[in-house]
């Protein structure tokens, strides 16, 4: 993806600023470096300008300005994107982070969400009413990016992916018009938004279906950690057990380093481990029976299952992974956790290069797998796991070592995969990887792109290239 920098006169930017409620930030502004920073500190991009939008009218103005001046547009929501697509060199960044309101309708079990919200914002609003909508695994993750890529999380087994619970979205299109996409309006666009990323416009509002969970929003969850030497045994047990569990119980598995902080016992701080983080959202009267198989297995180092509001589990790792760390991501989808894959996980789990580096496998089964593969743009519906390998560290000097570990790990593991990846976990990896990640839905996505963004105005993303202009 290459673009030629476009020179826009200061007068033109002054004219844009005069139309905005939000702030226009250019490179000579003292706020510029802070405004261009993203969650992954390994990304260092220098945009031409950044607009911190205050409303939909600001978004419309930015899209039209970008088109008029032939500027690359980058859309920033929560800023978590693995590849740092929320900013881009020489681009006009449409920053949505100030748009943070939520509106809960308890009677109809819905929540309307602004595009700058994080999932912590949403859970704060909904859990107070004993309900929530499926999301991811970190409260600091942005709603917009996670939703548009699919939305795999703790509730996927019971209630489906985030996109399976999206009811409608307001979208600013490439020509600057605003439409509402739903099953009954611009249904082709609505289909594409549910997994197709930011390829089709700027979403300025999401409306989600909510679900009652736990006991008035209180679930039972937390980690169960095992000695790293038990990884192979734990993974074999987990792959067989998980599909048989009630859908109210879900858990992701990974290799990790036990954080050097409470509530973990001090004698375990810094120890490498295999862990499963469980989340049970069903009736507490049935909890003992449902949780017995996971409490009884093996010889765990820690059994950290507790009653807690859902948003406490959702934000449990936020402090461990603050913005500004160095990140290098590699990812794949897996239809099974094979013995060959387990051997590779054992090998690289023992080689975890830093305390923050980790590997996770997130289940996609239950309700998420009962949705047809072509019902939404998100294609991997046959059951299995979304896997991610992340090299992470605060120190920029570690960037090469954590990246090499992740690359080597992925190179060995990839032949055991289903071919593509969860787009929210991908770096800037090229068109072939994008096609593999959408499988049989890719051609239909191109058709929607041709209709709504034929000039590829929205191309700083896991790009689906239109064919109408030969771009």
């Amino acid at each position: 993806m290459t673009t030629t920098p476009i020179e826009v006169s200061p007068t033109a930017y002054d004219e844009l600023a005069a139309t905005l409620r939000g702030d226009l930030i250019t490179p000579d502004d003292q706020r510029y470096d802070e405004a261009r920073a993203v969650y992954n500190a390994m990304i260092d991009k220098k945009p031409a300008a950044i607009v911190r939008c205050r409303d939909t009218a600001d978004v419309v103005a930015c899209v039209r300005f970008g088109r008029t001046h032939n500027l690359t547009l980058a859309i920033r929501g929560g800023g978590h994107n693995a590849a740092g697509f929320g900013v881009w060199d020489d681009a006009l960044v449409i920053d949505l982070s100030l748009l943070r309101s939520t509106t809960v309708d308890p009677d109809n079990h819905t929540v309307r969400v602004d595009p700058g919200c994080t999932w912590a914002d949403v859970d704060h609003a909904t859990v107070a009413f004993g309900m929530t909508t499926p999301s991811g695994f970190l409260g600091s993750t942005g709603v917009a990016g996670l939703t548009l890529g699919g939305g795999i999380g703790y509730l996927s087994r019971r209630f489906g992916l985030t996109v399976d619970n999206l009811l409608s979205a307001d979208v600013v299109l490439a020509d600057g018009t605003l439409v509402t996409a739903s099953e009954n309006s611009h249904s082709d666009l609505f289909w594409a938004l549910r997994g197709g990323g930011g390829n089709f416009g700027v979403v300025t509002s999401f409306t989600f279906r909510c679900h009652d969970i736990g006991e008035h929003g209180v679930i039972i969850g937390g980690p169960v950690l095992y000695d790293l030497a038990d990884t192979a045994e734990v993974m074999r047990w987990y792959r067989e057990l998980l599909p048989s569990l009630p859908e109210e119980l879900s858990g992701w598995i990974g290799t990790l380093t036990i954080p050097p902080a409470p509530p973990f016992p001090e004698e375990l701080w810094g120890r490498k481990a295999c862990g499963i983080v469980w989340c049970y959202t069903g009736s507490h009267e049935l909890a003992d029976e449902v949780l017995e198989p996971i409490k009884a297995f093996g010889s765990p180092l820690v059994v950290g299952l507790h009653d807690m509001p859902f948003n406490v589990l959702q934000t449990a790792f936020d402090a461990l992974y603050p913005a500004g760390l160095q990140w290098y991501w590699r990812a794949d989808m897996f239809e099974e956790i094979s013995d060959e894959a387990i051997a590779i996980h054992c090998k690289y789990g023992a080689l975890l290069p830093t305390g923050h580096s980790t590997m996770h496998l997130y289940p996609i089964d239950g309700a998420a797998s009962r949705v047809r593969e072509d019902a939404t743009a998100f294609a991997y519906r046959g059951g299995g796991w979304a896997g991610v390998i992340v090299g992470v560290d605060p120190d920029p000097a570690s960037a090469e070592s954590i990246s090499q570990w992740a690359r080597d790990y992925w190179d060995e593991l990839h032949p055991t995969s289903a071919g593509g990846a969860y787009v929210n976990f991908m770096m800037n990896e090229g068109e072939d990887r994008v096609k593999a990640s959408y499988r049989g839905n890719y051609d239909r996505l191109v058709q929607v792109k041709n209709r709504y963004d034929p000039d590829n105005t929205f191309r700083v993303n896991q790009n689906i290239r239109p064919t109408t202009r030969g771009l």
Side-chain angles (χ1 to χ4, degrees):
M1 188 188 307
T2 59
T3 58
T4 302
I6 304 297
E7 292 293 333
V8 179
S9 71
T11 300
Y13 279 124
D14 289 343
E15 291 172 354
L16 173 62
T19 70
L20 302 171
R21 288 186 65 216
D23 297 328
L24 174 68
I25 300 171
T26 53
D28 58 354
D29 192 305
Q30 63 181 1
R31 300 169 294 173
Y32 177 77
D33 284 337
E34 177 186 358
R36 69 186 180 89
V38 293
Y39 185 78
N40 181 0
M42 204 178 287
I43 306 296
D44 184 24
K45 301 292 186 181
K46 295 183 178 180
I50 302 161
V51 173
R52 287 176 167 165
C53 297
R54 291 282 184 179
D55 54 25
T56 299
D58 282 356
V59 176
V60 170
C62 288
V63 171
R64 291 176 175 171
F65 182 85
R67 289 294 298 268
T68 297
H69 295 278
N70 197 29
L71 282 168
T72 298
L73 296 179
I75 317 303
R76 176 176 175 168
H80 259 243
N81 183 269
F85 286 141
V87 296
W88 207 251
D89 286 335
D90 304 309
L92 174 63
V93 174
I94 301 176
D95 187 332
L96 308 172
S97 60
L98 297 181
L99 302 176
R100 296 285 289 268
S101 72
T102 59
T103 304
V104 179
D105 183 341
D107 292 334
N108 291 311
H109 275 63
T110 63
V111 59
R112 180 207 161 278
V113 182
D114 277 357
C117 286
T118 66
W119 285 106
D121 295 327
V122 177
D123 292 333
H124 172 78
T126 60
V127 172
F129 296 95
M131 62 187 192
T132 192
T133 196
S135 54
F137 301 94
L138 285 174
S140 59
T141 302
V143 168
L146 181 127
T147 299
L148 295 174
I152 301 166
Y154 285 112
L155 306 180
S156 297
R157 297 191 74 233
R158 186 175 183 188
F159 298 123
L161 306 181
T162 306
V163 292
D164 301 330
N165 294 274
L166 181 65
L167 299 175
S168 67
D170 294 334
V171 190
V172 177
L173 301 177
D175 62 2
T177 59
L178 177 69
V179 301
T180 297
S182 69
E183 291 285 5
N184 300 315
S185 174
H186 297 278
S187 58
D188 57 343
L189 176 61
F190 186 59
W191 175 88
L193 291 174
R194 289 177 289 166
N199 274 282
F200 310 98
V202 185
V203 177
T204 59
S205 173
F206 299 86
T207 300
F208 298 102
R209 180 187 302 109
C210 293
H211 304 271
D212 295 328
I213 57 166
E215 303 288 344
H216 307 292
V218 175
I219 57 92
I220 300 172
V224 178
L225 305 179
Y226 302 86
D227 189 272
L228 189 67
D230 296 335
T231 298
E233 181 184 2
V234 173
M235 284 190 168
R236 286 193 294 266
W237 164 77
Y238 168 82
R239 74 183 178 190
E240 301 299 329
L241 176 71
L242 189 84
S244 70
L245 293 175
E247 292 174 4
E248 292 84 358
L249 178 60
S250 186
W252 60 262
I253 189 168
T255 55
L256 50 92
T257 300
I258 298 175
F264 300 102
E266 189 169 354
E267 65 270 18
L268 298 178
W269 290 1
R271 182 168 170 174
K272 293 174 182 175
C274 176
I276 306 173
V277 180
W278 295 102
C279 177
Y280 173 66
T281 60
S283 166
H284 286 206
E285 292 182 1
L286 303 176
D288 288 343
E289 178 183 351
V290 173
L291 297 174
E292 177 59 25
I294 67 175
K295 290 181 177 180
F297 175 77
S299 302
L301 301 171
V302 172
V303 178
L305 298 170
H306 301 286
D307 293 9
M308 64 185 79
F310 176 72
N311 48 316
V312 171
L313 179 63
Q314 187 79 332
T315 58
F317 298 99
D318 286 14
L320 184 62
Y321 290 99
L325 303 180
Q326 304 283 310
W327 288 76
Y328 186 85
W329 302 63
R330 295 311 303 264
D332 268 319
M333 293 290 194
F334 298 90
E335 293 172 351
E336 62 175 345
I337 303 174
S338 67
D339 288 345
E340 180 184 0
I342 289 173
I344 297 167
H345 291 310
C346 291
K347 173 182 175 179
Y348 284 93
L351 298 174
L352 286 165
T354 64
H356 287 86
S357 298
T358 186
M359 181 284 302
H360 295 171
L361 291 165
Y362 301 113
I364 309 173
D365 69 337
S369 66
R370 289 194 293 274
V371 177
R372 295 192 329 273
E373 188 168 296
D374 63 353
T376 67
F378 186 95
Y380 280 88
R381 296 290 191 164
W385 286 266
V388 63
I389 300 162
V390 288
V392 191
D393 196 60
D395 187 355
S398 300
E400 180 52 37
S401 63
I402 61 178
S403 300
Q404 192 61 55
W405 170 81
R407 285 192 294 266
D408 291 345
Y409 195 160
W410 185 87
D411 285 345
E412 287 197 40
L413 190 64
H414 179 64
T416 73
S417 77
Y422 180 32
V423 294
N424 286 344
F425 291 161
M426 287 169 54
M427 303 288 278
N428 191 13
E429 300 173 27
E431 187 174 18
D432 287 345
R433 282 284 281 166
V434 174
K435 288 181 177 179
S437 298
Y438 287 115
R439 307 177 99 176
N441 290 335
Y442 185 79
D443 289 345
R444 184 176 173 186
L445 284 165
V446 171
Q447 293 174 10
V448 179
K449 183 76 168 179
N450 287 342
R451 178 180 180 188
Y452 289 96
D453 186 19
D455 296 316
N456 211 9
T457 297
F458 303 111
R459 60 182 177 272
V460 183
N461 46 44
Q462 301 296 347
N463 195 227
I464 296 161
R465 293 164 63 90
T467 58
T468 53
R469 299 291 192 272
L471 295 176

